[in-house]
Amino acid sequence: MEVYFDNSATTKPYDEVIDTMAEIMRNYYGNPSSAHSLGLMAEKKLNEAREAIAKTLNVSASEIVFTSGGSESNNFLLTGFVKEGAHVITTKTEHPSVLNTCMEMEGRGVEVTYLNVDNEGKIDLNELEKSINKNTQLVSIMHVNNETGIIQDIEAIGKLIKEKSSRAKFHVDAVQSYGKLNINIQSSGIDLLSASAHKIHGPRGAGIAYIRKGLTPKPLIYGGGQEKRLRSGTENLAAYAGFAKAVEIIYKNREKNFEHVLNIKKHFLNSIASMKGIKINGQHINDFSPYILSISFIGVRGEVLLHMLEAESVFVSTGSACAARDTKDSYVLKAIGLKNEEIKGTIRFSFSEFNTFSEVDKAINALSKCLKFLRRG
C-alpha cells in the first residue's frame, strides 16, 4: 500500500478533473479570443470556469484573473500594486514567492516590514498595528502556513488594517486554505487573494488572483490583452476548466473533508503520542490546519528519515517542496524558535480526503521501524 502524506506539496488530481481536461482539449481547442464559433465555444467554457471559482468566494467573476499558480499570483499582486517609496508589511514566515518578491522590491526603493511570529507561528496584532503607517500600501499575510499549518486570524487582521488605514490593501496568500477552510472575503476585508489548483486535486499550472472591484494593478504580462489586459497570452483553457471541476467537487464536500482530515490527524497524533524523542510543532490543534502536521524527530536527520520512509512506500517531505533542494535550514522553523537539532529532524505530514486510518497505521509502523534503526546503539 502506497501512503501519500505530501499533499501540501501537491495533490492527486480527481479523475473527473482529468476527464474534463481531456474533453476540453479534444472538443474545445479553439482560441477563446477567436471570433469564429470554435473560439466562442472555448470562450464560453472559460467564462463558466471563472464563474464557478468566483462563486466559491462569493465575488464577481470579473474580479477573478487566471494565472499559472500561487507563485505567479503572489508575484503579480505584490508587484502590480506596490510603487517605489511605498511601505509593505508581511511576515517572516511567508512563502518564498512573497518573501523573495518583497526583497526584490526593497532593491527598488520599497520599505518592507517583516513581522515576527510567536513559537506557534502566529503574528502579534499589536506589532501589526504599530507597523502600519501613512505610507503602508499593502499588507500581505499567508492564511495557512505551508510548513507548520498555523492558521492566521485573517478576519481580525483585515479588520485591524481597515481601522488603521484607508490606503493599505490586504493581500492573503490562500494557497494552503482555499477549498479547505472557510474564507469570507467581505468580512475579512480582503482586497487581493492568491490560490492554486494543484493543492485541491486540480491540475498544475492553474491559479487565480482575486482583485477587488475598483482596484487596478499594473499588468503582469503585456501582449494581446487577455484576462482584462492584466495577463496577456492565450488562456490555458483545459487547466482552468480542470481547476473549476476540482473546485466544484471539493466545495461540495468541504466540511465533510475537513472533519475526515481532522480525524486522520488526531489518529496520527494519538498513535505517535507514546513515541520518544519527538516534538509536535503545534500543540493547540484548533489553531492549525488539519491538513498539515509538522513533527521534529530529535537526533535524526529529516532527509534520511524521509528516504527510509520512502523505501517503506510512505511519502512525506522535510518542509516546503518549493525549498526541498535548498541546503539552508527552514527559515519558518527558525522563526518559531526551533533549535537547530529540531529543525534538521523535522518532517511534514500533509493529508487529503483520500487518506485513510489504515494508511496512518502503516506510516506509524514504518516510522517506528526507521527510528529504531536510526537510533540503534
Side-chain angles (χ1 to χ4, degrees):
M1 175 171 61
E2 182 179 289
V3 179
Y4 185 69
F5 283 165
D6 196 19
N7 291 282
S8 290
T10 197
T11 51
K12 178 183 177 183
Y14 292 126
D15 288 343
E16 295 93 329
V17 166
I18 297 169
D19 292 343
T20 296
M21 293 178 71
E23 183 201 356
I24 292 290
M25 293 175 76
R26 188 176 295 115
N27 299 323
Y28 296 89
Y29 51 83
N31 187 324
S33 297
S34 294
H36 52 64
S37 60
L38 289 178
L40 295 175
M41 285 168 59
E43 184 186 27
K44 183 170 182 286
K45 287 293 178 186
L46 183 66
N47 291 338
E48 288 174 359
R50 198 186 311 276
E51 286 166 9
I53 292 167
K55 190 176 174 184
T56 63
L57 291 169
N58 196 24
V59 300
S60 165
S62 64
E63 296 172 299
I64 299 294
V65 173
F66 282 116
T67 67
S68 69
S71 290
E72 182 184 308
S73 296
N74 284 340
N75 272 256
F76 171 39
L77 294 176
L78 267 68
T79 59
F81 281 98
V82 178
K83 297 175 181 171
E84 188 177 329
H87 175 233
V88 172
I89 300 172
T90 189
T91 80
K92 293 180 177 176
T93 53
E94 296 299 306
H95 188 271
S97 59
V98 168
L99 288 180
N100 290 338
T101 303
C102 284
M103 285 189 273
E104 191 278 334
M105 292 193 299
E106 281 184 295
R108 294 188 283 112
V110 173
E111 181 191 358
V112 182
T113 298
Y114 299 92
L115 299 175
N116 295 305
V117 295
D118 65 16
N119 61 5
E120 289 209 319
K122 281 226 173 187
I123 66 162
D124 181 343
L125 292 182
N126 290 324
E127 186 187 3
L128 170 61
E129 184 175 13
K130 289 174 185 171
S131 300
I132 298 172
N133 62 45
K134 62 183 175 57
N135 291 324
T136 304
Q137 197 169 33
L138 188 77
V139 179
S140 178
I141 293 181
M142 182 187 268
H143 191 186
V144 169
N145 185 270
N146 56 318
E147 289 195 45
T148 66
I150 187 70
I151 303 170
Q152 301 292 350
D153 187 346
I154 54 172
E155 294 228 2
I157 292 168
K159 185 179 176 189
L160 176 60
I161 294 168
K162 299 305 172 188
E163 286 175 352
K164 185 80 177 175
S165 170
S166 59
R167 184 183 187 215
K169 301 295 179 283
F170 185 24
H171 167 244
V172 171
D173 175 352
V175 167
Q176 295 291 349
S177 63
Y178 178 66
K180 299 171 184 173
L181 275 60
N182 182 45
I183 300 173
N184 190 321
I185 293 274
Q186 307 309 330
S187 64
S188 300
I190 297 170
D191 299 297
L192 310 160
L193 178 140
S194 306
S196 179
H198 75 106
K199 307 294 188 182
I200 55 168
H201 310 286
R204 295 167 198 173
I208 55 156
Y210 159 74
I211 302 168
R212 184 183 288 280
K213 189 177 180 182
L215 299 179
T216 309
K218 188 175 70 176
L220 175 68
I221 301 174
Y222 295 91
Q226 291 89 345
E227 294 300 299
K228 296 190 296 178
R229 300 189 179 278
L230 295 173
R231 185 186 187 270
S232 290
T234 304
E235 297 90 345
N236 188 353
L237 179 59
Y240 301 154
F243 190 178
K245 177 55 71 175
V247 161
E248 176 192 324
I249 297 169
I250 207 161
Y251 267 87
K252 195 182 297 177
N253 303 305
R254 190 175 64 80
E255 292 181 4
K256 187 175 78 174
N257 292 343
F258 184 95
E259 287 302 316
H260 173 68
V261 173
L262 180 60
N263 288 330
I264 289 286
K265 184 174 182 177
K266 285 179 177 175
H267 183 55
F268 196 111
L269 287 168
N270 290 336
S271 302
I272 209 169
S274 60
M275 206 173 271
K276 304 289 184 188
I278 65 168
K279 181 177 187 298
I280 309 296
N281 299 316
Q283 294 297 321
H284 301 99
I285 193 165
N286 292 334
D287 289 341
F288 288 80
S289 168
Y291 290 83
I292 299 175
L293 173 61
S294 172
I295 302 177
S296 297
F297 297 89
I298 313 302
V300 169
R301 287 194 66 84
E303 300 151 28
V304 176
L305 181 55
L306 178 152
H307 290 300
M308 288 188 72
L309 288 171
E310 181 184 3
E312 300 287 330
S313 297
V314 177
F315 298 90
V316 297
S317 61
T318 52
S320 166
C322 303
R325 289 178 175 79
D326 194 335
T327 55
K328 294 178 184 174
D329 289 339
S330 164
Y331 61 85
V332 173
L333 300 181
K334 274 186 183 175
I336 63 172
L338 261 60
K339 299 171 186 171
N340 286 342
E341 185 186 28
E342 294 168 339
I343 294 172
K344 292 184 187 303
T346 297
I347 292 287
R348 178 184 68 177
F349 303 88
S350 50
F351 312 113
S352 85
E353 65 193 72
F354 293 131
N355 291 132
T356 64
F357 292 95
S358 58
E359 288 179 346
V360 173
D361 295 338
K362 173 171 176 169
I364 297 297
N365 287 334
L367 265 173
S368 299
K369 180 181 170 183
C370 296
L371 291 171
K372 186 176 179 182
F373 178 82
L374 291 170
R375 290 171 171 159
R376 67 193 185 281

